[in-house]
Structure formats: structure tokens, C-alpha cells
Amino acid sequence: MPTPSMEDYIEQIYLLIENKGYARVSDIAENLKVHPSSVTKMVQKLGKDEYLIYEKYRGLMLTSKGKKIGKRLVYRHELLENFLKLIGVEKDKIYEEVEGIEHHLSWDSIDRIGDLVQYFEEDSSRREALIHIHNKSEEDA
């Protein structure tokens, strides 16, 4: 199982490949705000653990294992963003909040949050009731 740091790299590599068709060390470093040398070390570790195939000066590709985990990590991130939007967290705080919690929840908890998001998305009156509760608590504060 990948560490939280490894997850951040796998997720970023997956997103870059999905969006650009490739992932370069410089792009990963820029997006994660780390030094390219740190990316190179992590990419080598991810290669050793069979999440990707890395050839110096040629680039990298996720293995099927890496793609599967990358897809699940992107799902987790997007689900948590949707959940925080749903419960009324301010938009400018959502990304930072997700980054702070995503590695600390079990996959069972993620699945339950997914159930809750689905529950509110299936019926707009449920979402409206939640907004009403949120607004009422703001007034009472």
C-alpha cells in the first residue's frame, strides 16, 4: 500500500497523463511544489514498487496497478471536494481542506461519504433542507 506521499505523486502523475498524455518530472515538481530531485527519487521508488515504469530521459508510464490506484485517488479527491461543497465549505478553502483530510480517511469512510453525497444529489429537496440548516446555524451564531 502506498504511503500518503506516494499517493500524492501517483495522483498527480495520473492527472498529468490523463490531461496532457504524459507526465514529466518538471511538471510533477511544479504541480506538487517540490524540487525535481525529490520527484526523481520518488519516481524511482514508485518504479521499484511497480506503480510505474520510469526510464531516465524517456519519461514514465503508470502500470495497470498504478493506473488503478491513480484513478481511485482522483475519485477520492473529487468526492471529498464535492462533499465539502455540499456541506457549505467556502470554495476558497476546499482544496486545502481536501489535502488535509484525504490521507486520513479509510476507504470505508470514503465510500460512506460517497453514499451521503449520492443521497443529497438524488433529491434536490434534501440539498435545500441542508442549506436551510446551514443558514439557520449561521443566523444563530
Side-chain angles (χ1 to χ4, degrees):
M1 201 66 199
T3 65
S5 180
M6 292 167 77
E7 286 182 347
D8 286 340
Y9 280 86
I10 293 169
E11 180 181 2
Q12 195 55 235
I13 292 165
Y14 181 87
L15 286 169
L16 283 165
I17 291 171
E18 285 293 302
N19 294 328
K20 295 174 82 172
Y22 59 90
R24 296 182 310 194
V25 167
S26 59
D27 295 327
I28 298 164
E30 181 180 333
N31 290 356
L32 291 176
K33 296 175 180 45
V34 297
H35 292 284
S37 60
S38 299
V39 176
T40 300
K41 287 177 188 173
M42 180 59 80
V43 164
Q44 289 169 345
K45 180 172 178 44
L46 292 171
K48 182 181 172 203
D49 291 347
E50 300 178 350
Y51 293 106
L52 57 81
I53 298 167
Y54 173 66
E55 294 181 17
K56 198 171 185 177
Y57 307 116
R58 290 184 142 213
L60 53 93
M61 293 178 12
L62 289 171
T63 62
S64 59
K65 175 181 170 181
K67 285 179 191 174
K68 181 179 178 183
I69 289 175
K71 186 174 183 175
R72 182 102 165 123
L73 295 171
V74 169
Y75 164 79
R76 176 181 71 186
H77 191 98
E78 290 173 351
L79 175 68
L80 290 171
E81 282 187 355
N82 289 339
F83 174 68
L84 294 178
K85 285 178 196 170
L86 178 74
I87 63 173
V89 173
E90 294 176 30
K91 289 183 182 189
D92 63 333
K93 295 180 181 176
I94 289 177
Y95 182 81
E96 186 177 320
E97 295 283 334
V98 169
E99 288 299 311
I101 64 174
E102 67 183 342
H103 300 294
H104 300 284
L105 296 171
S106 69
W107 285 105
D108 184 51
S109 294
I110 295 296
D111 290 340
R112 298 301 68 78
I113 290 170
D115 295 341
L116 187 61
V117 168
Q118 182 180 350
Y119 172 81
F120 282 103
E121 288 178 344
E122 286 176 349
D123 185 342
S124 62
S125 67
R126 295 172 185 158
R127 171 79 173 119
E128 291 166 17
L130 183 62
I131 291 168
H132 177 72
I133 291 168
H134 176 73
N135 291 340
K136 178 125 175 62
S137 68
E138 291 284 313
E139 291 169 8
D140 295 343

